[in-house]
Amino acid sequence: VVFSGTFVALACVFNLLWRYAAGHNRLLARDADPVQVGNISRQYAFGPLLYLACCLLALVSVPAMLVLYVLIALFFALPGLALRLPRRA
């Protein structure tokens, strides 16, 4: 639970950092593709929720939690996955 809780905190801080960097292209290249930045932002928004689910799952089943961690790693590692996420209107 402590391990998962640390990941929840890291995911929240990482999201804050990304939102600051991506907001109005503060820390991104001037020619950064706004569609791709939006896709990345939507994909990163799932991080804290997924890690929170791992934290709660750790209370019930550690093996299931580890499987979910592998799935989360695949979710963030597979290139182009963000392009398949639904866009918000």
Side-chain angles (χ1 to χ4, degrees):
V1 173
V2 172
F3 178 77
S4 295
T6 302
F7 275 14
V8 171
L10 287 171
C12 290
V13 170
F14 184 81
N15 266 284
L16 289 173
L17 177 65
W18 172 254
R19 301 285 176 203
Y20 178 79
H24 306 292
N25 276 2
R26 283 186 191 105
L27 300 176
L28 300 179
R30 291 183 186 179
D31 61 341
D33 181 12
V35 173
Q36 187 62 24
V37 171
N39 289 337
I40 292 169
S41 296
R42 277 191 303 284
Q43 187 179 23
Y44 285 172
F46 287 103
L49 298 174
L50 293 171
Y51 289 121
L52 181 61
C54 281
C55 192
L56 297 174
L57 192 56
L59 297 170
V60 179
S61 171
V62 172
M65 175 203 71
L66 293 173
V67 169
L68 186 53
Y69 272 123
V70 169
L71 294 175
I72 291 171
L74 290 174
F75 176 74
F76 287 114
L78 292 176
L81 184 60
L83 297 176
R84 293 190 296 268
L85 294 174
R87 290 186 62 114
R88 287 186 279 179

